[in-house]
Amino acid sequence: EFGVNVPKSASIAAMLAPDLAEALATAQERSAVAGVQAVRRHARVRVTLEGRQQLVGVDGLEVAVFGHDGSREGDPHLHLHVQVSAKALVDGQWRGLAGRQMVAALGDWQATVTASLATDPAWNAAVARHGLTLTVEGGIAEIGPELEALFSRRHAAIEIERDTLLADFHRVEGVAPS
């Protein structure tokens, strides 16, 4: 599974105006397509050629995409889940994907999706129409960490747990962790 996650500030902005929500959803879909194309370049299957196992590229992948407009906690968080089947089409046959190459594709996926989102023309135009500024990650510069924190219960819970774990470590070990 791969994800298309937009910055929290973009999700907040999309709540404020329907045209921003529509432009962001379209940008996410385009980003997912670009990401799948990047993954496909990495995807390999093992085949036996001339008595030896070799890795070969694939002709096609089967993917399913579904989206959410909120987090598990109900905070605004527009994101897509992209499920890539464990099978790929090669020479008219479905074969199992080689896992190591799919793991290697994660970095390319993230870079491609982030760049695609941040440079999407419709998203850029919609943001500009509202007098807002995009960050390099595709978020909204005018929506700062303080506002984001108001819409991030999960982040707050993680910070509380982190502080508890650090305090417990210090109490037991007598020093802060390195």
Side-chain angles (χ1 to χ4, degrees), residues 69-85:
D69 59 3
S71 69
R72 283 172 265 181
E73 292 77 18
D75 295 325
H77 176 57
L78 300 172
H79 62 285
L80 300 177
H81 296 267
V82 180
Q83 300 277 331
V84 177
S85 172

Side-chain angles (χ1 to χ4, degrees), residues 101-174:
Q101 285 67 31
M102 294 304 289
V103 171
L106 285 170
D108 199 16
W109 165 271
Q110 195 58 52
T112 300
V113 166
T114 299
S116 177
L117 178 67
T119 61
D120 187 86
W123 174 233
N124 277 266
V127 168
R129 277 194 306 275
H130 285 271
L132 301 171
T133 310
L134 276 180
T135 66
V136 294
E137 297 86 17
I140 307 297
E142 290 78 7
I143 298 177
E146 300 82 18
L147 185 56
E148 289 179 353
L150 294 174
F151 291 98
S152 185
R153 285 177 278 218
R154 183 172 178 213
H155 178 75
I158 290 169
E159 289 298 311
I160 290 167
E161 181 65 14
R162 183 183 65 89
D163 292 345
T164 300
L165 291 170
L166 288 172
D168 288 349
F169 185 93
H170 191 272
R171 183 179 42 74
V172 171
E173 300 296 329

Side-chain angles (χ1 to χ4, degrees), residues 4-16 20-22 24-25 28 66-81 151-153:
V4 178
N5 292 295
V6 301
K8 176 68 76 175
S9 60
S11 291
I12 294 169
M15 289 180 2
L16 303 175
L20 286 175
E22 185 176 327
L24 183 55
Q28 282 186 291
F66 57 97
H68 298 286
D69 59 3
S71 69
R72 283 172 265 181
E73 292 77 18
D75 295 325
H77 176 57
L78 300 172
H79 62 285
L80 300 177
H81 296 267
F151 291 98
S152 185
R153 285 177 278 218

Side-chain angles (χ1 to χ4, degrees), residues 43-45 58-63 83-90 93-98 102:
R44 298 287 183 271
V45 298
V58 304
D59 300 327
L61 296 173
E62 188 171 52
V63 301
Q83 300 277 331
V84 177
S85 172
K87 301 278 185 182
L89 190 62
V90 177
Q93 292 184 331
W94 290 97
R95 298 175 177 267
L97 282 169
M102 294 304 289

